Amino acid sequence: MNYAVRNGKILDGTKEMKIQQGLCILVENGIITDLIPDANADLHNYKVIDLHGQYILPGLINMHVHLAGNGKPQKKQRDNEKLVKTIMSSSLTRTIAYKMVAGFAKDELFSGVTTIRTVGGLGNFDTRLRDEIESGTKLGPRILAANQGISVPGGHMAGSVAVAASTIPDALKQLEKAKQEKVDLIKLMITGGVLFC
C-alpha cells in the first residue's frame, strides 16, 4: 500500500529540528520515498492521510528495553528472582505475563518508538513477540531480541531476566539455547549493574 501523508507539521530529525509545513510525505511499501510540495501533488496512486495540522516525526529507537517491566521506577526494592520464578511457574501466569509484555511493546509503539532492542527478558517472550509483530498478529515496534541475558551468580539481573551461569559450560549452554530461539543479540550482565558510590 502506498500512502501520502499531508497537512502535517513535519519534524524531520535534522539537528535544527525546524518544523516544515506545506509538504507531503510519500510512502511506498513502508518506506518514505519522497517529500514533495503539498499544493500540486498528484496523489491518485496513494491512500491519503490528512494529519489536520498534527505533528509527525521519524520513529524513535529505544536501545535498552526490558519488556518484563513498564519502565517506571520501583518505590521499594523487591526480590525480582522470586517474582520471575512465580510468574514463569504455571501456564496461566506465563500467559498473563506474556500479555503484559506485549502490552508494554504496544505502549512503546504508541509513544513513537518504532524500533526497540531488548536486553534481557522472560524466557523466549522477546523473540516470540518479535515474530508475532513481524507476521502481523500483534501490534508493536520492530524488535531486536535478546530473550534472557547471561549473568553470573549474584550478578546484575541474575535469576530474573538473565540466567546465572556459574561456569563456562553453563554460559555455553545458554548461548546454544539462545541460538535455538533465534535471538538477534546476546546480552551479558556480569557486573553488579547500577553501582552507587
Side-chain angles (χ1 to χ4, degrees):
M1 175 74 69
N2 297 335
Y3 297 94
V5 183
R6 66 186 318 177
N7 192 22
K9 296 175 183 171
I10 301 170
L11 298 170
D12 64 5
T14 59
K15 184 177 177 182
E16 291 76 25
M17 194 67 86
K18 291 184 180 176
I19 297 170
Q20 297 184 51
Q21 290 181 271
L23 297 172
C24 182
I25 303 168
L26 301 182
V27 180
E28 298 175 8
N29 299 316
I31 297 172
I32 296 173
T33 57
D34 210 350
L35 194 61
I36 62 172
D38 199 7
N40 301 320
D42 177 15
L43 304 176
H44 70 275
N45 290 328
Y46 295 87
K47 179 178 179 182
V48 177
I49 299 171
D50 189 332
L51 294 179
H52 301 287
Q54 297 294 315
Y55 288 88
I56 187 167
L57 71 154
L60 303 172
I61 299 172
N62 189 340
M63 297 294 287
H64 191 113
V65 176
H66 301 286
L67 283 172
N70 61 11
K72 294 178 183 174
Q74 295 178 13
K75 291 184 180 171
K76 62 180 182 176
Q77 191 64 26
R78 63 179 180 222
D79 185 346
N80 288 328
E81 186 173 356
K82 183 179 177 185
L83 178 62
V84 168
K85 278 184 183 174
T86 302
I87 289 169
M88 301 303 280
S89 66
S90 75
S91 61
L92 175 63
T93 53
R94 282 191 305 274
T95 300
I96 293 167
Y98 184 72
K99 197 171 191 174
M100 178 188 69
V101 161
F104 291 155
K106 190 175 177 181
D107 289 346
E108 289 269 357
L109 181 65
F110 286 174
S111 299
V113 177
T114 58
T115 302
I116 63 174
R117 181 181 70 177
T118 67
V119 288
L122 300 176
N124 69 343
F125 286 9
D126 296 350
T127 52
R128 180 176 155 198
L129 183 58
R130 174 201 65 196
D131 296 345
E132 288 179 354
I133 290 169
E134 285 179 2
S135 72
T137 59
K138 286 261 192 302
L139 188 60
R142 283 181 295 274
I143 297 177
L144 297 171
N147 287 345
Q148 290 182 295
I150 300 174
S151 188
V152 295
H156 186 52
M157 306 298 255
S160 59
V161 296
V163 172
S166 300
T167 64
I168 292 172
D170 286 348
L172 292 174
K173 183 179 176 184
Q174 182 60 23
L175 279 174
E176 186 56 38
K177 182 180 177 191
K179 181 180 175 185
Q180 290 171 2
E181 293 171 348
K182 299 183 179 168
V183 299
D184 300 302
L185 62 130
I186 304 292
K187 172 66 175 177
L188 299 178
M189 304 184 204
I190 56 175
T191 67
V194 179
L195 302 175
F196 296 96
C197 298

